[in-house]
Amino acid sequence: VEILPEYCGAEGSSMYLSPGERYTVEELLQGLLLVSGNDAAIALACHTAGDIDSFVALMNAKAFTLGMENSSFANPHGLDGEGHYSTARDMAKLMCACMENEDFARITATKSCTVGEQYLYNHNKLLSSCQGCIGGKTGYTEAAGRCLVSCTEREGTRYVCVTLSAPDDWNDHKRLYNWAFSHYTNRSVVDESIGFDIPVVSGTLPTVRAVPEEAFSAFLPTDAELTLIAEMARFTYAPVQQGETAGRIVVLLDGELLKEIRLIYGSQVPAAKH
């Protein structure tokens, strides 16, 4: 990307681009995500869509597809502007989508890097101070105050946290994560270890295995009480076809139906020849 004069001199934080310099897209993304380079945001927007207005249109179209119902973008860098607003929930939706992108996830987790002769240090202090933090983005304007979006993963469970106009945002995020990880967990409820041997009448084998059609995990409070009820016939007649319905597993959460999973025969059992 060749840096044009109109890309430079943006208000607020910057990666200090100069006209005539050349950068890769990844280098500009590093300047954008690590040090909040507003000039990098302008350069990337114009490189992607030709001009800022066209890129803003793409931003708003993407926000619509992500279900960001209470957001409107007027610029690519996030500085205060008329018709430029969002909510904590919408920022959380955006961060969840961003973390699915391998390049974004890798760059936002980078603590520091060198671009040309510049040493860029990630503004996100949580990468070093919060257990399991794997990414995030800081933001500040006079109107919005201190804003922070972050993502943390511990033992396979991932959370996104968003605070807006929060003076103590670093500690707020750490406290919220500690509370969330201690009160909720992603629990494996039904997996491949569950199965039942059903007697087969007039078959070439005495039994056939009934197994869940799918695995099931649920995000639940740590003290949630789960009950699993398996319903199936006491026996079956040959021939048995693999994949046929053998019964069902009913999962109850505190006595209320949470999930119903079909039990299927895991193998075929032909009828015995007499």
Side-chain angles (χ1 to χ4, degrees):
V1 179
E2 182 176 353
I3 305 304
L4 303 179
E6 56 265 35
Y7 301 169
C8 307
E11 295 180 27
S13 53
S14 173
M15 71 174 293
Y16 305 106
L17 300 176
S18 296
E21 293 178 333
R22 297 190 67 86
Y23 292 87
T24 66
V25 168
E26 174 146 339
E27 288 172 336
L28 291 173
L29 287 170
Q30 290 168 336
L32 176 70
L33 295 173
L34 272 65
V35 298
S36 302
N38 294 331
D39 50 356
I42 294 172
L44 286 165
C46 293
H47 174 72
T48 301
D51 57 73
I52 289 178
D53 289 343
S54 297
F55 186 78
V56 168
L58 292 177
M59 292 176 70
N60 285 306
K62 186 64 174 181
F64 178 80
T65 64
L66 293 177
M68 299 171 64
E69 299 175 352
N70 296 293
S71 296
S72 173
F73 298 115
N75 61 64
H77 42 59
L79 293 174
D80 299 329
E82 184 177 352
H84 190 88
Y85 58 84
S86 190
T87 65
R89 181 178 291 274
D90 278 0
M91 286 291 100
K93 291 179 180 179
L94 178 59
M95 186 62 170
C96 288
C98 286
M99 290 302 294
E100 294 299 315
N101 182 286
E102 293 182 2
D103 292 324
F104 176 92
R106 173 175 50 80
I107 295 172
T108 194
T110 302
K111 293 182 179 180
S112 63
C113 68
T114 301
V115 174
E117 297 181 356
Q118 290 192 70
Y119 181 74
L120 306 182
Y121 184 78
N122 199 321
H123 288 176
N124 180 13
K125 296 180 180 179
L126 294 179
L127 290 172
S128 300
S129 65
C130 179
Q131 177 192 347
C133 183
I134 56 174
K137 185 69 189 72
T138 59
Y140 174 83
T141 68
E142 186 174 342
R146 290 181 60 88
C147 300
L148 178 61
V149 180
S150 67
C151 181
T152 294
E153 184 174 310
R154 299 176 190 171
E155 297 180 358
T157 298
R158 179 179 292 187
Y159 285 103
V160 165
C161 183
V162 181
T163 52
L164 306 179
S165 190
D168 195 23
D169 49 8
W170 304 122
N171 288 321
D172 288 341
H173 279 234
K174 285 185 279 189
R175 283 190 290 260
L176 284 166
Y177 281 129
N178 289 336
W179 179 89
F181 281 110
S182 65
H183 285 76
Y184 290 85
T185 184
N186 192 40
R187 294 166 62 176
S188 176
V189 180
V190 176
D191 58 27
E192 65 277 359
S193 68
I194 295 178
F196 307 91
D197 290 322
I198 299 177
V200 179
V201 177
S202 302
T204 56
L205 296 172
T207 62
V208 63
R209 191 77 168 165
V211 297
E213 184 178 33
E214 59 180 322
F216 173 59
S217 297
F219 190 67
L220 301 167
T222 53
D223 59 354
E225 183 177 334
L226 290 176
T227 303
L228 273 64
I229 301 173
E231 299 176 352
M232 70 204 83
R234 294 177 62 185
F235 59 88
T236 188
Y237 291 95
V240 176
Q241 299 299 322
Q242 186 176 4
E244 284 187 340
T245 299
R248 65 174 185 165
I249 293 178
V250 177
V251 182
L252 303 178
L253 171 60
D254 296 327
E256 299 292 327
L257 179 65
L258 176 64
K259 180 76 171 179
E260 182 177 310
I261 298 174
R262 191 164 70 110
L263 284 171
I264 60 173
Y265 294 117
S267 61
Q268 179 176 322
V269 180
K273 296 180 181 181
H274 297 288

